[in-house]
């Protein structure tokens, strides 16, 4: 159903803009994001003054320019279309943010994304799917990715909102806005000991931001639950006969450091796990 809706949106989007005589040298025709959607995208991405925002396929530059004028956000936009890049540069100048945002006439697939703390995109589904491995390869854990209307296939968004867009150029008068937070990698085998001397081993596989796995204490299986990753933050519970342990921590390479509450009502105490075997995030599928 979702795929059908997206492909009809893609066809409608292309038809509207080819019909309007738009330049089509690129993977996606130029359709500007309405300003109320731009504001909602910046809100969902919690964009602020410390961010570096890259808009992929930046059109007239409105997303980067709005972030710079409202929040002082630095950033850049890339677009294949020279005319649009020229418009974006002159608007940035006019709005007094040319020192904060730059625009390059370049293919987004040839762009270094590693500096970004926020990525925005209003591209077609097929382009997003080509982009997905590049995002996982280049972006730091915690980088937010916000898209307008088109998703990343079976990489489920962490959040999604729908807002009314009365002047929408195609389809129903509303837009979907989606947020993904680039997950850290927890795949592999982790070990730790608690102060009572008990040794734990947790084995995890990870598909996109979703880890699944098992945990053992002194080779006895326990129940691993509520496993969650958001950027480099990880949390989970371990349940055994003695009750529920609640772990929170931050992934830093091959270690996770944080706190554990061993029994409900007890004080949290420090906890640290080491990865003894590394795994890869599975980003296959469509
Ligand atoms: C739907 S428009 C979005 C414009 C702007 N981001 C916005 O939301 O208002 C998509 C833009 O992507 C650009 N584009 C398409 N394929 C591209 C590519 N491979 N590299 C860079 N820009 C591309 C198009 O020229 C077009 O301006």
């Amino acid at each position: 159903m979702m795929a059908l809706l997206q492909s009809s949106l893609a066809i409608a989007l292309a038809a509207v803009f080819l019909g309007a005589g738009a330049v089509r040298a690129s993977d996606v025709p130029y359709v500007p994001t309405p300003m109320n959607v731009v504001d909602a995208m910046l809100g969902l991405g919690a964009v602020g003054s410390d961010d570096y925002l890259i808009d992929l396929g930046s059109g007239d530059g409105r997303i980067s320019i709005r972030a710079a004028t409202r929040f002082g956000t630095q950033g850049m936009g890339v677009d294949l279309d020279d005319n649009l890049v020229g418009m974006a540069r002159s608007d940035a100048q006019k709005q007094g943010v040319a020192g904060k945002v730059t625009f390059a006439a370049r293919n987004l697939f040839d762009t270094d994304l590693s500096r970004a703390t926020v990525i925005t995109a209003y591209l077609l589904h097929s382009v997003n799917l080509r982009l997905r491995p590049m995002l996982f390869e280049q972006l730091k854990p915690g980088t937010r990715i916000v898209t307008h209307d088109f998703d990343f296939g079976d990489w489920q968004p962490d959040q999604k909102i729908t807002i009314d867009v009365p002047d929408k150029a195609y389809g129903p008068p509303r837009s979907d806005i989606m947020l993904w937070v680039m997950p850290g990698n927890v795949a592999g085998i982790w070990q730790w000991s608690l102060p009572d001397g008990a040794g734990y081993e947790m084995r995890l596989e990870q598909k996109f931001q979703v880890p699944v796995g098992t945990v053992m204490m002194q080779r006895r299986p326990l129940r691993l639950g509520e496993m969650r990753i958001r950027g480099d933050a990880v949390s989970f519970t371990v349940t055994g006969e003695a009750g529920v342990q609640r772990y929170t921590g931050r992934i830093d390479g091959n270690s996770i450091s944080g706190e554990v509450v061993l029994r409900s009502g007890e004080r949290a105490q420090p906890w640290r796990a080491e990865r003894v075997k590394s795994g890869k995030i599975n980003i296959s599928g469509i």
Side-chain angles (χ1 to χ4, degrees), residues 3-65:
L4 188 65
L5 185 66
Q6 286 187 335
S7 65
S8 56
L9 274 181
I11 292 163
L13 185 71
V16 166
F17 285 87
L18 288 173
V23 179
R24 240 226 102 156
S26 63
D27 295 307
V28 187
Y30 174 55
V31 184
T33 295
M35 283 319 289
N36 68 323
V37 180
V38 171
D39 287 338
M41 288 173 79
L42 299 177
L44 189 64
V47 174
S49 57
D50 293 338
D51 281 313
Y52 189 87
L53 183 152
I54 300 182
D55 187 26
L56 297 175
S58 48
D60 66 0
R62 60 182 56 205
I63 296 178
S64 315
I65 292 171

Side-chain angles (χ1 to χ4, degrees), residues 9-242:
L9 274 181
I11 292 163
L13 185 71
V16 166
F17 285 87
L18 288 173
V23 179
R24 240 226 102 156
S26 63
D27 295 307
V28 187
Y30 174 55
V31 184
T33 295
M35 283 319 289
N36 68 323
V37 180
V38 171
D39 287 338
M41 288 173 79
L42 299 177
L44 189 64
V47 174
S49 57
D50 293 338
D51 281 313
Y52 189 87
L53 183 152
I54 300 182
D55 187 26
L56 297 175
S58 48
D60 66 0
R62 60 182 56 205
I63 296 178
S64 315
I65 292 171
R66 184 71 157 184
T69 54
R70 280 192 73 188
F71 308 116
T73 313
Q74 286 192 298
M76 67 173 293
V78 288
D79 203 291
L80 280 178
D81 186 322
D82 287 338
N83 290 333
L84 289 169
V85 169
M87 276 169 65
R89 284 181 183 147
S90 82
D91 198 33
Q93 195 82 45
K94 230 184 289 166
Q95 303 221 34
V97 291
K100 289 209 175 281
V101 287
T102 57
F103 294 94
R106 191 191 309 137
N107 193 324
L108 64 92
F109 288 102
D110 299 328
T111 302
D112 177 1
L113 307 179
S114 57
R115 194 176 164 196
T117 59
V118 180
I119 295 282
T120 52
Y122 183 23
L123 302 165
L124 294 175
H125 187 242
S126 56
V127 182
N128 284 351
L129 288 183
R130 278 165 56 206
L131 188 59
R132 202 168 69 180
M134 188 169 151
L135 300 178
F136 274 87
E137 207 176 285
Q138 295 192 23
L139 298 181
K140 300 175 281 289
T143 304
R144 289 93 78 204
I145 301 144
V146 185
T147 73
H148 176 191
D149 271 349
F150 297 94
D151 65 17
F152 289 99
D154 57 358
W155 181 17
Q156 297 295 319
D158 293 290
Q159 258 175 280
K160 176 176 174 175
I161 58 172
T162 302
I163 64 164
D164 290 335
V165 184
D167 54 347
K168 184 123 178 189
Y170 64 93
R174 50 189 168 269
S175 284
D176 289 333
I177 301 166
M178 288 154 281
L179 168 73
W180 290 258
V181 180
M182 182 52 61
N185 175 354
V186 290
I189 302 177
W190 297 86
Q191 293 180 342
W192 69 93
S193 303
L194 292 182
D196 64 3
Y200 290 74
E201 184 170 283
M202 177 166 72
R203 293 171 175 254
L204 295 176
E205 289 180 359
Q206 181 176 347
K207 181 143 192 191
F208 303 112
Q209 72 274 53
V210 183
V212 284
T214 56
V215 64
M216 309 230 276
M217 191 256 289
Q218 311 290 93
R219 298 179 187 277
R220 286 211 322 273
L222 301 178
R223 192 147 57 82
L224 183 63
E226 299 173 45
M227 183 94 212
R228 195 159 179 263
I229 313 175
R230 192 164 170 109
D232 63 3
V234 59
S235 58
F236 57 92
T237 58
V238 172
T239 307
E241 280 165 17

